[in-house]
Amino acid sequence: DGLVKANMEKLTFYALSAPEKLDRIGAYLSERLCRDVARHRYGYVCIAMEALDQLLMACHCQSINLFVESFLKMVRKLLEADKPNLQILGTNSFVKFANIEEDTPSYHRSYDFFVSRFSEMCHSNYEDPDIRTKIRMAGIKGLQGVVRKTVNDELQANIWDPQHMDKIVPSLLFNLQSGEGTESRSPSPLQASEKEKESPAELTERCFRELLGRAAYGNIKNAVTPVLMHLDNHSLWEGKTFAVRCFKIIMYSIQSQHSHLVIQQLLGHLDANSKTSATVRAGIVEVLLEAAAIAASGSVGPTVLEVFNTLLRHLKLSVDYELTGSYDCTAMGSKTINKHEERQLQEAVIRTIGSFANTLPTYQRSEVMLFIMGKVPIPGLHPTLPPSGSGLEAYRMIQVMLLKSLRQVTCGFQSTNMLTAMPTSFLDPLLSFALLEDAHIRLLVLEILVSLIDRHSNLPKFSTISIISDISVLKLKMEKCSRQDNLFMKKHAQQLYRHIYLSCKEHSSVQVHYEMLYSLLALVSMELANEEVVVDLIRLSLALQDLALASEETLPVYNRCAVHALAAAYLNLICQLTSVPTFCQHIHEASATHRPDMALGATACVSKAVLEMRQKESPFLLPEDVFTEEPKLLKKNPNPKHIDGKSTESRERTIALWRYRVPEILERPGVELLFQQVKITEVLGVSGYNAERLAIPYTPQFTDEDRLSKRKSVGETISLQVEVESRNSPEKEERTPAEEITFEALKNAIVDSVGLEEQERERRRQVVEKFQKAPFEEIAAHCGARATMLQNKLSQIFEITIRPPPSPSGTITAGYGQTQSRSVPVYEMKFPDLCVY
């Protein structure tokens, strides 16, 4: 009928009164239980276990160790039974025992059997699903009990040993995977409902979290390694979902200061799988991405650059795999490479690099930026850069991937000091890529520059180029330019201007390039501008207008219209940012002007009349009609020879059609369509700006970067016009007209050089012939005359060198009015008193 309560109370009282008898009580109950199990008398088995549980809960004395041995022997007997109910009964008793805090340690107790048996129960395949679930949950509870009993007892068997963790962790992951449909609710789940408690997956997650939460610094590796092995053995990286869930549990459960250990293990595992399929490597990288997002700031640890070095190395490996088609470059075709999967892996690595960078403080991100820039092969400087062929394509892909990684690192980067954010060692190689012919690389460079300069998140407000009538609606965030920013612009402003100008000369530039250039100009005006910078930017904008007007540049029609539109949009913006009343007045007033002379480079003044006239006569010079799918130039000037009746759906098709337009409309636009430099100088000068620099047309100077960029023609980047500034008073600067270089002048220079070479060759031939055919006496006389001349020269030099210098006592006038120096001893010289001491 069950345990008699009165008799049990007597037994408990006796055990408490005589604790030395506990071992005999335990041995007797253990003997009875083993006999009842063998005779299948399960009712008595339950009574014996209940009695043991009550005695165990009541007696916490020093003599409990011997009693525990009998208790564990009985639990082991139950777990070895074939009946599921006995296994569950033994597990429940063990869990109760595990919750007891013992006062004295045990030196001889072993839990190896319980770890193995509970792990086996976690993998139960019993036919009845309900009983199978109960057995698995009993196994999970048993493992939880073992961890609780041993984790804090230094004298117990170390539960963190690989022999134990290799059984515990896979058993938990097996049950966690069975409930993969139920995602983790929160980093630390609170009280769950009764229904959720019945789920093995929920119970496993709580047990797994408890295990990881108890892990010390030296035990993290042993706990994470079985997770990596389990994911490898069961091909769980490719699905990503379960692997990400596992490491989310790990990152949220362990102590925050240990996060970098998990990340380092993942990086090491990525290295170990460098030649596996792209899907496996992509899964590991995705897990790294999630782990970095969860990790606290600075949790990457002391080896920050090693983390990025590992990721960049695998990025390069992926590029090599994609190009060679093999994981082993020496054995082509050893394993088929899926290029699409490799591209997905590359994008995942780039996202992970950005995620890591977001967890770092500002100074470490600056170091990472310099580190990545040092990895990018620069044309002309990198020793292993191949001249052409497939190798050049590989380096181009590496350049693109590394610049994408750099863009991810700079995304959201806000530094108060631009000198430290973009030092010379970083800015110079970065800007050298802005001169390459590859349009994608140039775009990446512009995006990186914009990300670094945008410190107040104003970039989304300039995502499209348009004429803004009132910039107050943009609600721009601006601060006064600091001293450090002024120093940065004094040092690097000309570099930025030069690359903006040269970027507009690129034939391969498309709409997105001009949008980024507009954003760069706008952000420089807001973040780094003082009065001198504002004047230089206006001067640069006028130079861009001249660039679009210059026929010798041979820019396509679309690019010329785009440069006109870019200059118009920026001048409209800068006039409102300066807040100069007269400048704004000229913006919003129509003015009748005359055509400027050719020396001024066909510049014109800023006025509303210009924008209104362009809207009426030449809408293709405004951004609203240039940067669109169907520009008005196509509708207004159709060319049936080159344009069919089909609609233009893509922007590439639109640009191709633009290239067939007749350029006469851009050769000599009316004065009312251009911005005048004279008027701008006048209004800025009245407002206190030093606008005299506007009278000097902007011309970029040739530097080493043009050589490094390996462009097709040096003439594309070197200016043929030499800017000569007067050395007189800065208030009255005079411009020296540049030397005119024409086709005839170049032809004459080439012809003259050819003639000089012919004369030199003929002279050398005559000298050789003379020494070969002339008689010996004539050759000796010629050489003797030259030797005599040389001796005379040497004598004169020696005389001047050896003769003492003129003395203060004066000179002697010789005949024919010549003066001759007279040597006077030093002791006879008369020196002034101030020279004697």
Side-chain angles (χ1 to χ4, degrees):
D1 295 333
L3 191 63
V4 179
K5 184 177 181 182
N7 293 337
M8 188 63 214
E9 290 177 353
K10 292 179 183 179
L11 181 60
T12 304
F13 178 78
Y14 176 73
L16 291 174
S17 302
E20 68 276 3
K21 300 294 185 179
L22 265 176
D23 56 336
R24 294 184 61 188
I25 297 173
Y28 173 75
L29 289 176
S30 176
E31 181 184 355
R32 288 287 304 268
L33 184 136
C34 293
R35 186 173 57 197
D36 292 336
V37 169
R39 296 177 179 179
H40 304 287
R41 302 172 64 179
Y42 300 123
Y44 289 99
V45 172
C46 295
I47 293 174
M49 287 307 301
E50 186 177 354
L52 278 173
D53 290 343
Q54 292 191 24
L55 285 174
L56 198 62
M57 299 299 292
C59 302
H60 293 169
C61 59
Q62 295 181 357
S63 302
I64 198 175
N65 278 332
L66 297 177
F67 177 69
V68 167
E69 291 303 319
S70 300
F71 171 78
L72 292 179
K73 181 180 179 182
M74 297 172 63
V75 172
R76 181 171 182 171
K77 187 68 175 179
L78 293 178
L79 294 177
E80 289 175 342
D82 295 334
K83 297 292 182 179
N85 292 334
L86 295 182
Q87 298 174 10
I88 296 171
L89 178 63
T91 303
N92 292 336
S93 295
F94 182 83
V95 171
K96 293 177 183 178
F97 161 72
N99 292 328
I100 297 176
E101 295 183 5
E102 298 185 49
D103 297 332
T104 56
S106 175
Y107 298 91
H108 57 280
R109 199 178 300 166
S110 175
Y111 294 96
D112 293 354
F113 166 78
F114 296 100
V115 171
S116 301
R117 183 55 182 161
F118 289 140
S119 300
E120 184 181 351
M121 292 170 64
C122 290
H123 292 83
S124 173
N125 289 322
Y126 200 82
E127 296 179 357
D128 190 343
D130 293 335
I131 297 179
R132 181 171 65 239
T133 300
K134 291 180 180 179
I135 295 176
R136 290 185 178 181
M137 291 184 67
I140 297 168
K141 291 177 181 179
L143 290 177
Q144 189 178 25
V146 172
V147 172
R148 287 178 180 177
K149 200 64 181 173
T150 59
V151 72
N152 293 325
D153 193 347
E154 296 179 356
L155 298 176
Q156 298 287 354
N158 190 0
I159 198 65
W160 301 106
D161 287 343
Q163 59 180 349
H164 299 310
M165 298 307 294
D166 289 346
K167 299 175 183 177
I168 295 175
V169 174
S171 301
L172 297 177
L173 294 179
F174 174 76
N175 286 276
L176 191 64
Q177 184 182 358
S178 63
E180 193 174 352
T182 58
E183 292 292 332
S184 177
R185 300 181 307 278
S186 63
S188 179
L190 303 177
Q191 295 296 330
S193 64
E194 292 298 327
K195 184 176 181 181
E196 288 176 335
K197 285 183 179 180
E198 296 176 356
S199 169
E202 293 293 333
L203 180 60
T204 301
E205 183 173 341
R206 289 197 297 273
C207 180
F208 195 30
R209 289 181 185 276
E210 182 178 348
L211 173 67
L212 295 167
R214 296 174 180 269
Y217 179 86
N219 301 327
I220 294 293
K221 182 177 180 181
N222 291 340
V224 176
T225 301
V227 178
L228 300 174
M229 294 176 58
H230 181 81
L231 296 175
D232 286 340
N233 295 334
H234 298 275
S235 302
L236 296 176
W237 292 111
E238 300 178 5
K240 299 179 186 177
T241 306
F242 180 70
V244 169
R245 184 186 178 194
C246 286
F247 277 90
K248 277 186 176 181
I249 295 174
I250 293 173
M251 297 302 294
Y252 279 127
S253 300
I254 63 175
Q255 301 177 40
S256 59
Q257 65 268 25
H258 300 160
S259 298
H260 67 279
L261 297 175
V262 180
I263 292 174
Q264 288 177 359
Q265 275 194 269
L266 283 170
L267 290 171
H269 198 65
L270 183 61
D271 286 336
N273 288 272
S274 59
K275 292 187 178 182
T276 57
S277 64
T279 53
V280 173
R281 285 176 286 140
I284 300 175
V285 171
E286 287 288 346
V287 171
L288 270 169
L289 175 64
E290 296 293 337
I294 297 171
S297 177
S299 66
V300 180
T303 58
V304 176
L305 296 182
E306 184 61 30
V307 172
F308 289 93
N309 189 33
T310 301
L311 292 173
L312 293 177
R313 183 171 66 251
H314 284 277
L315 191 62
K316 291 183 179 180
L317 278 176
S318 179
V319 172
D320 292 338
Y321 294 159
E322 181 182 350
L323 291 176
T324 59
S326 170
Y327 292 126
D328 187 2
C329 298
T330 60
M332 293 295 292
S334 60
K335 188 173 183 180
T336 306
I337 299 296
N338 190 322
K339 292 187 176 181
H340 177 68
E341 292 178 353
E342 292 293 341
R343 289 289 176 89
Q344 290 181 336
L345 169 64
Q346 294 161 15
E347 295 298 327
V349 172
I350 292 172
R351 289 196 306 271
T352 305
I353 289 174
S355 179
F356 269 114
N358 290 333
T359 65
L360 299 177
T362 302
Y363 73 94
Q364 283 188 328
R365 290 181 74 171
S366 299
E367 292 178 359
V368 171
M369 288 161 50
L370 283 172
F371 180 76
I372 297 177
M373 180 54 67
K375 295 285 186 179
V376 184
I378 302 176
L381 289 182
H382 202 276
T384 60
L385 191 65
S388 61
S390 61
L392 187 61
E393 175 64 19
Y395 274 93
R396 179 202 163 273
M397 290 183 62
I398 291 175
Q399 288 174 346
V400 171
M401 293 301 168
L402 293 178
L403 288 175
K404 282 184 176 181
S405 304
L406 188 59
R407 180 184 60 183
Q408 286 292 106
V409 174
T410 58
C411 183
F413 177 66
Q414 295 182 354
S415 175
T416 55
N417 191 345
M418 296 302 295
L419 281 173
T420 58
M422 287 191 288
T424 304
S425 57
F426 173 79
L427 189 60
D428 287 349
L430 177 65
L431 292 179
S432 67
F433 290 100
L435 301 177
L436 295 178
E437 294 182 353
D438 193 295
H440 192 192
I441 292 179
R442 296 202 315 272
L443 179 61
L444 290 173
V445 172
L446 290 174
E447 291 176 345
I448 292 170
L449 285 174
V450 167
S451 296
L452 291 171
I453 296 176
D454 182 26
R455 294 177 292 184
H456 293 88
S457 302
N458 289 316
L459 178 59
K461 301 167 185 177
F462 301 106
S463 57
T464 58
I465 307 179
S466 61
I467 301 297
I468 305 171
S469 58
D470 184 10
I471 63 171
S472 61
V473 300
L474 298 179
K475 298 180 180 180
L476 301 174
K477 299 178 183 178
M478 299 176 60
E479 291 183 5
K480 186 177 179 180
C481 188
S482 64
R483 178 176 175 273
Q484 291 83 0
D485 293 341
N486 289 332
L487 292 176
F488 174 80
M489 291 305 291
K490 285 183 180 180
K491 188 175 183 180
H492 300 294
Q494 295 303 321
Q495 285 180 284
L496 293 176
Y497 303 154
R498 178 174 178 273
H499 286 82
I500 292 173
Y501 182 86
L502 295 179
S503 296
C504 292
K505 295 178 66 173
E506 293 292 342
H507 292 201
S508 58
S509 295
V510 292
Q511 177 178 344
V512 65
H513 290 87
Y514 295 108
E515 290 174 348
M516 294 308 300
L517 287 170
Y518 175 69
S519 300
L520 181 58
L521 285 168
L523 292 172
V524 170
S525 305
M526 296 172 57
E527 299 281 353
L528 306 171
N530 50 30
E531 290 188 4
E532 182 181 352
V533 173
V534 169
V535 173
D536 284 340
L537 289 171
I538 296 174
R539 180 167 166 247
L540 176 62
S541 301
L542 295 175
L544 293 180
Q545 180 177 250
D546 294 342
L547 172 66
L549 292 171
S551 58
E552 61 269 14
E553 295 294 343
T554 65
L555 280 176
V557 179
Y558 174 81
N559 298 67
R560 296 174 68 179
C561 293
V563 173
H564 271 298
L566 172 64
Y570 177 69
L571 286 173
N572 174 70
L573 175 68
I574 193 65
C575 74
Q576 300 182 62
L577 290 175
T578 55
S579 301
V580 177
T582 52
F583 199 0
C584 296
Q585 184 179 2
H586 281 282
I587 288 293
H588 297 287
E589 285 184 0
S591 61
T593 56
H594 299 283
R595 174 89 176 172
D597 55 7
M598 297 305 294
L600 292 177
T603 53
C605 101
V606 182
S607 67
K608 185 179 179 182
V610 175
L611 301 179
E612 290 181 351
M613 190 59 64
R614 286 189 179 187
Q615 186 65 36
K616 294 178 182 178
E617 300 295 332
S618 303
F620 48 83
L621 300 181
L622 294 176
E624 288 80 3
D625 296 287
V626 174
F627 306 113
T628 182
E629 292 293 334
E630 295 185 0
K632 290 186 177 181
L633 182 63
L634 293 180
K635 300 177 181 178
K636 193 172 183 179
N637 300 283
N639 190 340
K641 294 183 180 180
H642 301 285
I643 302 178
D644 52 21
K646 298 180 181 180
S647 61
T648 57
E649 296 180 355
S650 64
R651 188 166 53 83
E652 289 77 9
R653 172 63 175 161
T654 301
I655 295 175
L657 294 176
W658 274 65
R659 298 182 188 276
Y660 293 112
R661 302 302 79 200
V662 181
E664 285 78 9
I665 53 177
L666 296 175
E667 292 295 339
R668 292 184 176 274
V671 65
E672 66 278 359
L673 300 177
L674 302 175
F675 300 98
Q676 286 188 353
Q677 168 261 325
V678 177
K679 207 67 176 180
I680 297 177
T681 304
E682 178 183 345
V683 297
L684 289 180
V686 173
S687 302
Y689 283 79
N690 183 13
E692 295 180 357
R693 290 171 55 84
L694 292 177
I696 305 173
Y698 173 79
T699 53
Q701 299 300 315
F702 177 72
T703 65
D704 291 340
E705 294 174 2
D706 301 288
R707 174 179 58 81
L708 299 179
S709 64
K710 289 189 176 181
R711 308 179 62 82
K712 289 182 179 179
S713 173
V714 178
E716 295 180 4
T717 54
I718 185 171
S719 174
L720 296 179
Q721 193 175 23
V722 181
E723 180 181 324
V724 180
E725 298 186 9
S726 175
R727 295 187 178 181
N728 297 330
S729 172
E731 298 178 357
K732 296 182 179 180
E733 295 181 352
E734 297 180 359
R735 295 173 59 251
T736 303
E739 179 184 358
E740 183 180 2
I741 297 179
T742 61
F743 173 74
E744 291 296 332
L746 294 174
K747 180 179 179 182
N748 293 335
I750 295 174
V751 172
D752 292 344
S753 63
V754 173
L756 292 175
E757 291 177 0
E758 290 291 338
Q759 294 177 7
E760 181 68 18
R761 193 180 298 110
E762 180 63 22
R763 189 185 66 81
R764 290 175 180 273
R765 188 188 62 79
Q766 292 177 1
V767 170
V768 172
E769 185 179 356
K770 177 180 179 180
F771 276 88
Q772 287 178 346
K773 298 181 180 180
F776 175 76
E777 291 78 7
E778 183 179 350
I779 296 175
H782 176 73
C783 294
R786 296 185 62 182
T788 303
M789 185 185 302
L790 175 62
Q791 184 64 35
N792 293 335
K793 291 293 182 182
L794 288 174
S795 300
Q796 294 178 10
I797 293 172
F798 290 149
E799 182 182 358
I800 295 173
T801 305
I802 298 172
R803 186 178 59 195
S807 82
S809 59
T811 57
I812 302 174
T813 303
Y816 305 100
Q818 297 179 353
T819 60
Q820 182 177 357
S821 299
R822 183 181 64 184
S823 179
V824 179
V826 175
Y827 57 85
E828 293 183 1
M829 294 181 183
K830 295 181 180 180
F831 293 97
D833 294 338
L834 294 176
C835 296
V836 180
Y837 63 93

